């Protein structure tokens, strides 16, 4: 499980939280409106221009809206880190944002209250610092039966690139010096910084009030109590416990709570003279912090930690071995749009910073005693220096007491010297072993370096071969593709060629037939010419003969028509006479019938009528035949 935990802690991104405060009365007085919209607990949307629909979306580990409570922020940001501090980790929480957006309120709280019976999880106005100390005390008291502990706090101020102790006497304005920690890379030591042991919540409030009173603040147009400095409140928890070997060890965890001064626009804040220089130093340190974050995100080879004391103090929290959380505070007002976007961009970039948290090394009792012994030697040397310089006057009782303490310390030193002698012998053995191991490691490192160089050459060759192989494979694929396409094209061309051959054969056959037809047509045309000439000559003869025959036939026909007309006239005259005689007989017959009787009268009348009709038809027939004969005679 420890290995899994170590793997989890190997490469952990900084957690970034955003808190948006409500509109204050000054912003409402200038008719400002909100341009921030919190769409979910992880996302917020900001209008890039007040009177347009152009928006910009940001995503963070958690977003707190204007109605969020102090306890909500604490539970999400700091409460998970308390357990890590107890396990021996260093943790940092710092608030960043424009001036007047609620950084100090978030870190320290509103009105300081020390009412009995109010726990850290029920106080509505307390900030992160008192709540964290209260929770640490509660957690340690629950485990007090099985372990010993102590809680120490320090409170420093970074003002105009100078460090001051906020827990020192009121008249103490000495500047503290900053040194690199030789035992822990990336950490710093502040010489002369006072650490105060605390035991209760009331002591924490007193310390906060004392530090806040000493902290540099001033009134500006944008904030009635604008912080003019950065503060770092550090809580160090020492827990003594027994190791698996039965030796007493000391586990140390730290919680750094940083309240950064707000970035501000000098023109809008109305800062002048000293206040303007303060604002310039604040903005300069925050710009350096921004450059450090950008370099860490871009993984630049050089990180400009040394350009500002602020970044030197936060060096281990940015890209180091500390678990870090950032609370970015913003204003929702339109008049602060530029600063709000700048803060959110800064916080969004900081999400990509990777820390590698490590548990602080546990110190054994022997190591602690050695540290105390070294401190005593240092104090003794300082004492001797003071005596040689000015002389020291002590009371007799104090002098004898000091002598007794010194004798006791000398005995302790003798015992420790003996122990140190034994440890030195052991250390010499370890040093020899270390030298041997180091020599072997140097040889191995040289071999590894040579092998690495060879490996680099081989990797370069391998990369080149891999590129050539990729190129060859790509060319092969192209060739295969081209060959397949060529084969398909050749198949299509073969089919088309076979079709063309067939079509050509059919064309040749058709051409041969055409030539045959043309020759036959020529022969037929020759025969037709001969036939035409023969037909023309014979036709002329036949036409001449026909004309002669027609003329002859016309004459004969005219004669026969004339003869026929005469014959018809004779026949018609003969027929008329016969009809007339017949009509007379019919009349006689009718009269005879009249005499027979009246019974046959009707029949006789009918017969007379029919006879009249017959006579009429005969007359018409005669006249028509006569007309036809006349017309025929006129024609011929």
């Amino acid at each position: 499980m420890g290995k899994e935990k170590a793997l989890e802690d190997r490469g952990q991104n900084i957690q970034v939280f955003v808190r948006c405060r409500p509109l204050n009365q000054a912003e409402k007085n200038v008719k400002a409106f909100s341009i921030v919209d919190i769409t979910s607990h992880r996302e917020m949307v900001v209008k890039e221009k007040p009177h347009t629909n152009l928006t910009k979306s940001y995503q963070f580990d958690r977003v707190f809206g204007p109605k969020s409570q102090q306890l909500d922020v604490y539970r999400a940001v700091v409460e998970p880190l308390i357990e890590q501090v107890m396990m021996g980790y260093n943790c940092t929480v710092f608030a960043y944002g424009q001036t007047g957006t609620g950084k100090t309120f978030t870190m320290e709280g509103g009105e300081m209250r020390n009412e009995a019976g109010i726990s850290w999880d029920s106080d509505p106005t307390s900030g992160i610092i008192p709540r964290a100390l209260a929770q640490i005390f509660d957690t340690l008291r629950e485990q007090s039966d099985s372990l010993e502990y102590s809680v120490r706090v320090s409170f420093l101020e970074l003002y105009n690139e100078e460090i001051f102790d906020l827990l020192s006497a009121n008249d103490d304005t000495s500047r503290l010096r900053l040194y690199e920690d030789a035992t822990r890379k990336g950490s710093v030591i502040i010489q002369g910084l006072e650490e105060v042991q605390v035991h209760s919540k009331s002591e924490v409030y007193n310390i906060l009030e004392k530090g806040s009173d000493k902290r540099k603040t001033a009134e500006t147009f944008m904030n009635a109590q604008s912080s003019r400095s950065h503060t770092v409140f550090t809580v160090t928890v020492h827990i003594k416990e027994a190791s698996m070997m039965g030796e007493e060890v000391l586990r140390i965890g730290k919680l750094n709570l940083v309240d950064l001064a707000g970035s501000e626009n000098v023109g809008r804040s109305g800062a002048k003279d000293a206040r303007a220089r303060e604002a310039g130093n604040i903005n300069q340190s925050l710009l350096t912090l921004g450059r450090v974050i950008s370099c860490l995100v871009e993984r630049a080879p050089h990180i400009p930690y040394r350009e500002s004391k602020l970044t030197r103090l936060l060096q281990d929290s940015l890209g180091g071995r500390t678990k870090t959380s950032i609370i970015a505070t913003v204003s929702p007002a339109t008049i602060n749009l530029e600063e709000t976007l700048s803060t959110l961009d800064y916080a969004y970039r900081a999400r990509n910073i990777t820390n590698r948290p490590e548990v602080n090394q546990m110190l054994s009792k022997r190591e602690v005693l050695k540290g105390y012994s070294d401190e005593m030697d240092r104090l003794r040397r300082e004492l001797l220096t003071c005596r040689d310089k000015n002389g020291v006057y002590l009371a007799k009782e104090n002098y004898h007491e000091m002598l007794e303490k010194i004798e006791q310390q000398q005995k302790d030193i003798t015992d420790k010297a003996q122990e140190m002698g034994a440890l030195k012998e052991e250390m010499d053995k370890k040093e020899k072993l270390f030298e041997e191991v180091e020599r072997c490691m140097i040889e191995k490192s040289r071999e590894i370096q040579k092998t690495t160089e060879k490996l680099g050459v081989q990797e370069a060759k391998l990369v080149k071969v891999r590129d050539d192989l990729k190129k060859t494979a790509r060319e092969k694929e192209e060739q295969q593709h081209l060959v397949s396409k060529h084969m398909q094209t050749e198949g299509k061309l073969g089919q088309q060629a076979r079709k063309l051959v067939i079509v050509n054969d059919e064309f040749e056959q058709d051409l041969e037939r055409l030539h045959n037809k043309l020759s036959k047509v020529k022969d037929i045309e020759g025969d037709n010419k001969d036939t035409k000439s023969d037909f023309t000559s014979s036709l002329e003869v036949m036409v001449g003969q026909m004309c002669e025959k027609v003329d002859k036939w016309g004459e004969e026909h005219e004669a026969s028509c004339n003869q026929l007309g005469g014959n018809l006239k004779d026949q018609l005259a003969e027929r008329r006479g016969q009809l007339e005689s017949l009509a007379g007989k019919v009349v006689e017959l009718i009269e005879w019938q009249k005499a027979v009787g009246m019974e046959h009268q009707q029949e006789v009348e009918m017969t007379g009528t029919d006879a009249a009709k017959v006579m009429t038809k005969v007359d018409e027939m005669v006249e028509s035949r006569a007309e036809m004969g006349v017309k025929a005679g006129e024609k011929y």
Side-chain angles (χ1 to χ4, degrees):
M1 187 171 180
K3 290 182 180 180
E4 292 177 358
K5 187 69 178 175
L7 288 174
E8 289 177 3
D9 295 338
R10 219 53 154 155
Q12 185 180 81
N13 282 11
I14 287 179
Q15 288 191 309
V16 179
F17 306 86
V18 175
R19 188 178 191 184
C20 179
R21 66 160 172 78
L23 291 170
N24 58 30
Q25 191 59 43
E27 292 166 344
K28 293 178 181 177
N29 291 338
V30 296
K31 307 299 182 181
F33 57 89
S34 177
I35 46 136
V36 175
D37 182 22
I38 298 173
T39 57
S40 69
H41 67 283
R42 288 181 177 271
E43 184 178 18
M44 67 187 309
V45 177
V46 182
K47 288 186 178 181
E48 290 190 288
K49 293 183 179 180
H51 301 289
T52 64
N53 293 326
L54 187 62
T55 60
K56 192 172 184 179
S57 176
Y58 296 91
Q59 290 185 343
F60 299 100
D61 294 285
R62 182 70 184 271
V63 178
F64 300 97
K67 296 182 179 179
S68 61
Q69 302 297 318
Q70 293 279 73
L71 184 59
D72 300 334
V73 178
Y74 178 80
R75 287 194 182 279
V77 181
V78 184
E79 188 175 6
L81 298 179
I82 301 299
E83 183 183 355
Q84 304 297 321
V85 173
M86 297 298 180
M87 294 172 59
Y89 285 96
N90 290 349
C91 301
T92 298
V93 177
F94 68 88
Y96 171 86
Q98 178 192 3
T99 181
T101 53
K103 298 180 298 301
T104 304
F105 176 76
T106 301
M107 299 303 293
E108 299 180 8
E111 297 179 358
M112 295 297 178
R113 299 188 306 169
N114 188 15
E115 299 179 9
I118 298 180
S119 62
W120 64 270
D121 55 354
S122 60
D123 192 341
T125 62
S126 289
I128 286 175
I129 295 175
R131 288 183 196 274
L133 268 297
Q135 186 183 358
I136 289 173
F137 285 134
D138 291 347
T139 305
L140 290 173
R141 287 193 188 100
E142 291 174 359
Q143 304 173 0
S144 60
D145 296 336
S146 60
L147 50 84
E148 297 179 13
Y149 65 87
S150 68
V151 179
R152 306 180 72 87
V153 298
S154 65
F155 201 7
L156 66 86
E157 174 185 46
L158 180 61
Y159 174 70
N160 285 343
E161 287 298 304
E162 296 292 344
I163 300 174
F164 300 93
D165 189 354
L166 294 178
L167 300 184
S168 63
N170 290 331
D171 56 350
D172 184 7
T173 59
S174 58
R175 296 175 176 84
L176 306 183
R177 300 184 64 183
L178 191 66
Y179 298 98
E180 298 289 338
D181 188 353
T183 61
R184 186 179 175 94
K185 184 179 179 182
S187 299
V188 293
I189 297 174
I190 302 170
Q191 185 182 25
L193 181 64
E194 184 177 357
E195 278 193 333
V196 179
Q197 188 169 0
V198 292
H199 304 86
S200 65
K201 172 184 173 183
S202 60
E203 293 182 12
V204 175
Y205 276 114
N206 293 333
I207 288 171
L208 279 176
E209 288 178 358
K210 180 181 178 181
S212 299
D213 291 340
K214 286 189 67 176
R215 188 179 183 184
K216 306 295 188 299
T217 60
E219 182 177 358
T220 66
F221 291 162
M222 301 181 70
N223 191 357
Q225 289 186 336
S226 175
S227 301
R228 315 308 292 169
S229 62
H230 312 295
T231 60
V232 180
F233 189 93
T234 303
V235 184
T236 307
V237 181
H238 298 81
I239 301 175
K240 187 170 70 174
E241 58 185 10
S243 67
M244 297 179 64
M245 304 299 294
E247 185 180 11
E248 290 184 346
V249 294
L250 193 64
R251 185 169 70 227
I252 302 174
K254 282 189 177 183
L255 176 62
N256 301 307
L257 302 171
V258 185
D259 180 14
L260 299 179
S263 60
E264 65 180 60
N265 186 322
V266 176
R268 288 182 57 198
S269 66
K272 296 180 180 179
D273 300 330
R275 296 288 171 260
R277 287 194 296 274
E278 289 172 355
N281 287 326
I282 292 169
N283 291 337
Q284 182 62 35
S285 60
L286 294 177
L287 285 173
T288 304
L289 179 61
R291 285 199 299 274
V292 167
I293 290 174
S294 298
C295 292
L296 288 170
V297 171
E298 296 169 1
R299 290 179 169 79
H302 171 68
I303 311 299
Y305 290 115
R306 291 182 171 273
E307 293 185 7
S308 172
K309 287 185 179 180
L310 174 63
T311 51
R312 290 184 67 187
L313 287 171
L314 298 177
Q315 180 174 351
D316 197 39
S317 302
L318 299 172
R321 290 167 289 188
T322 300
K323 294 192 173 186
T324 304
S325 297
I326 298 175
I327 303 175
T329 58
V330 297
S331 164
T334 51
I335 58 176
N336 298 321
L337 173 61
E338 185 177 350
E339 290 83 356
T340 298
L341 289 174
S342 176
T343 301
L344 293 176
D345 289 337
Y346 154 87
Y348 190 77
R349 289 200 311 272
R351 291 186 64 199
N352 298 317
I353 297 176
T354 303
N355 287 359
R356 292 172 175 79
E358 293 181 3
V359 179
N360 292 320
Q361 184 179 3
M362 291 187 181
L363 299 176
S364 64
K365 185 176 181 181
R366 185 182 306 159
E367 292 172 341
V368 175
L369 289 174
K370 183 177 181 301
Y372 288 156
S373 177
D374 293 339
E375 183 69 14
M376 287 170 59
D377 290 339
R378 185 184 64 79
L379 292 174
R380 188 180 293 110
R381 287 193 298 271
E382 291 180 357
L383 181 60
L384 291 173
T385 302
C386 291
R387 283 176 178 174
D388 293 339
K389 186 176 181 181
N390 296 321
V392 177
Y393 301 94
L394 298 173
K396 187 175 181 180
E397 295 176 356
N398 293 340
Y399 176 71
H400 288 299
E401 185 180 354
M402 186 179 294
L403 287 177
E404 290 176 0
K405 287 183 179 179
I406 290 172
E407 287 177 0
Q408 184 63 35
Q409 289 173 355
Q410 285 178 347
K411 290 179 182 179
D412 293 339
I413 289 170
T414 303
D415 295 337
K416 296 301 179 184
Q418 292 176 356
E419 292 180 6
M420 286 178 63
L423 290 172
K424 189 175 181 181
E425 291 178 1
E426 186 68 23
M427 188 178 68
D428 291 337
K429 294 179 182 178
K430 296 294 184 183
E431 284 180 351
K432 291 180 181 179
L433 180 61
F434 177 76
E435 289 175 356
E436 292 179 0
V437 173
E438 187 178 17
R439 186 171 58 255
C440 294
M441 287 182 64
I442 291 172
E443 293 176 357
K444 294 294 184 183
S445 63
R446 289 175 181 171
E447 292 178 2
I448 289 172
Q449 186 176 2
K450 292 180 182 178
T451 307
T452 305
E453 291 175 356
K454 292 180 181 178
L455 181 62
V457 175
Q458 293 296 328
E459 284 181 349
K461 292 181 180 178
L462 183 62
V463 170
K464 186 177 180 182
V465 171
R466 190 181 293 112
D467 294 338
D468 294 339
L469 181 62
K470 288 181 180 178
K471 185 177 179 182
T472 305
R474 188 166 57 251
E475 291 177 352
K476 180 183 176 183
E477 291 177 357
E478 292 176 355
Q479 292 293 331
Q480 288 178 347
H481 180 71
L482 290 174
V483 167
S484 63
K485 293 298 181 182
H486 284 320
M487 291 178 66
Q488 293 177 4
T489 305
E490 286 179 356
K492 292 178 180 179
L493 289 174
Q495 293 177 0
Q496 291 180 357
R498 286 191 291 273
K499 290 180 180 179
L500 287 174
V501 169
I502 295 171
V503 171
N504 190 33
D505 293 339
E506 293 176 354
F507 177 73
E508 288 180 352
Q509 293 176 1
D510 292 340
L511 187 61
E512 185 177 359
R513 290 171 185 165
L514 181 60
H515 285 303
N516 294 332
K517 285 183 179 180
L518 288 174
S519 60
K520 288 180 180 179
V521 167
K522 287 181 180 179
D523 295 339
I524 290 170
E525 285 180 353
D527 295 339
N528 287 338
K529 286 181 180 180
D530 296 338
T531 306
K532 182 179 179 182
S533 59
D534 295 340
F535 176 75
T536 302
S537 57
S538 61
L539 182 61
E540 290 177 354
V541 174
M542 290 175 66
V543 167
Q545 294 176 355
M546 186 177 291
C547 288
E548 292 176 357
K549 289 181 179 181
V550 167
D551 294 337
K552 185 177 179 181
W553 180 77
E555 294 175 357
E556 291 177 355
H557 183 66
E558 186 178 358
S560 63
C561 284
N562 293 327
Q563 185 179 358
L564 180 61
N567 293 332
L568 283 174
K569 288 180 179 180
D570 295 337
Q571 289 180 3
L572 285 174
E574 184 179 355
R575 288 284 182 92
R576 188 167 185 169
Q578 292 177 357
L579 287 174
E580 288 178 352
S581 62
L582 181 60
K585 290 180 179 181
V586 169
V587 171
E588 291 178 357
L589 183 59
I590 289 170
E591 290 179 355
W592 177 76
Q593 286 180 347
K594 286 181 179 180
V596 173
M598 291 303 290
E599 56 184 350
H600 297 294
Q601 184 177 356
Q602 187 178 358
E603 185 178 356
V604 172
E605 289 176 358
M606 290 177 63
T607 304
T609 304
D610 290 337
K613 290 179 179 180
V614 171
M615 288 299 294
T616 303
K617 288 181 179 180
V618 170
D619 291 337
E620 290 176 356
M621 188 181 297
V622 171
E623 289 178 359
S624 64
R625 293 294 182 180
E627 289 177 357
M628 287 176 62
V630 173
K631 289 179 180 179
E634 290 176 354
K635 184 177 180 181
Y636 293 103

